[in-house]
Amino acid sequence: MLHGVDVSSHQTSFDTDGLDFVFIKATEGRSYINPRLAGQTARARGAGCVVGFYHFLWPGNVKEQAAYFVAGAPEKAGDLLAVDWETTGEGTRASNGEKDRFIREVKRLRPDHRVLLYCNRSFWLNHDTTSYAGDGLWIADYVTAGKPRIEASWRIHQYTDRPLDKNVADFSSRAALQAWAQG
C-alpha cells in the first residue's frame, strides 16, 4: 500500500515525508479556485509525489464545472484528476447522473489523464446507482487503512481525517502508481 494525503486551502502546510501521492483541491463549483494551489502543487512535486487534483462538484452546470476544473487544475502528464461527490455546505448534492456526466466530460477534455470518483461510503452505497467511477474509485470510510467496507474495487482509500485526510492506494509501488497514472 502507498501512502498519501489530500489537502485544500485549509492546510497552510503539510509534511511530505513518507508520502507517495498528494491530491490537492483545485476548484469548486464554477467560481472557486484554491488560493494555495500553486504552492501546494510545488511542494508535492518537489517531494517526488504523484500529484492529483480534485473538484468539489455542485449540482447543475456540469459541463461548465468540468471546463472550469480543467482550466484551473495544472496539466502535466501523469497527474490524476478526481471529482469530489458529497453534500455541499448548503446541504445539496449533485445527482448520480450529474456525477457521471462530470466524469465523462473531464475525460473528454483531458483524455490523457486518469479521472477518479471520490465519495464516502454512504454516497457509494445509498446515492450511486450506476457504479460509474471513471478510471477508479477513491472511497472514504474511516476504518482500518486499506479495508473499506465496500464490495466494489477501489484504487484509493481515505481512512481518516485526523489530523488531515490520510489515504492509502492499492498499488505495489510508487512506480506502479506512476505507470497507471500515465495511462
Side-chain angles (χ1 to χ4, degrees), residues 84-100:
D84 181 349
W85 184 42
E86 57 185 296
T87 303
T88 69
E90 294 180 358
T92 62
R93 65 175 166 82
S95 70
N96 185 80
E98 288 173 318
K99 173 264 296 180
D100 290 355

Side-chain angles (χ1 to χ4, degrees), residues 4 10 28 31 36 57 62 65 83 101-102 115-116 131 144 148:
H10 298 289
E28 179 173 334
S31 61
R36 300 186 194 287
L57 185 64
V62 172
Q65 287 189 70
V83 58
R101 287 192 302 278
F102 182 88
V115 181
L116 297 98
S131 299
T144 302

Side-chain angles (χ1 to χ4, degrees), residues 44-56:
R45 290 199 201 293
C49 295
V50 174
V51 178
F53 301 98
Y54 69 92
H55 173 84
F56 189 99

Side-chain angles (χ1 to χ4, degrees), residues 74-135:
E75 184 173 0
K76 181 179 176 188
D79 284 346
L80 299 168
L81 302 174
V83 58
D84 181 349
W85 184 42
E86 57 185 296
T87 303
T88 69
E90 294 180 358
T92 62
R93 65 175 166 82
S95 70
N96 185 80
E98 288 173 318
K99 173 264 296 180
D100 290 355
R101 287 192 302 278
F102 182 88
I103 293 170
R104 287 186 175 96
E105 182 66 7
V106 171
K107 288 181 70 58
R108 185 186 73 76
L109 294 170
R110 289 243 186 120
D112 297 328
H113 291 262
R114 298 280 187 175
V115 181
L116 297 98
L117 167 66
Y118 167 90
C119 68
N120 62 42
R121 180 176 180 263
S122 176
F123 263 61
W124 184 251
L125 296 177
N126 301 309
H127 298 300
D128 184 83
T129 59
T130 59
S131 299
Y132 182 62
D135 295 310

Side-chain angles (χ1 to χ4, degrees), residues 140-154:
D141 187 23
Y142 296 168
V143 293
T144 302
K147 300 199 181 294
R149 297 167 297 163
I150 59 170
E151 293 183 23
S153 296
W154 55 273

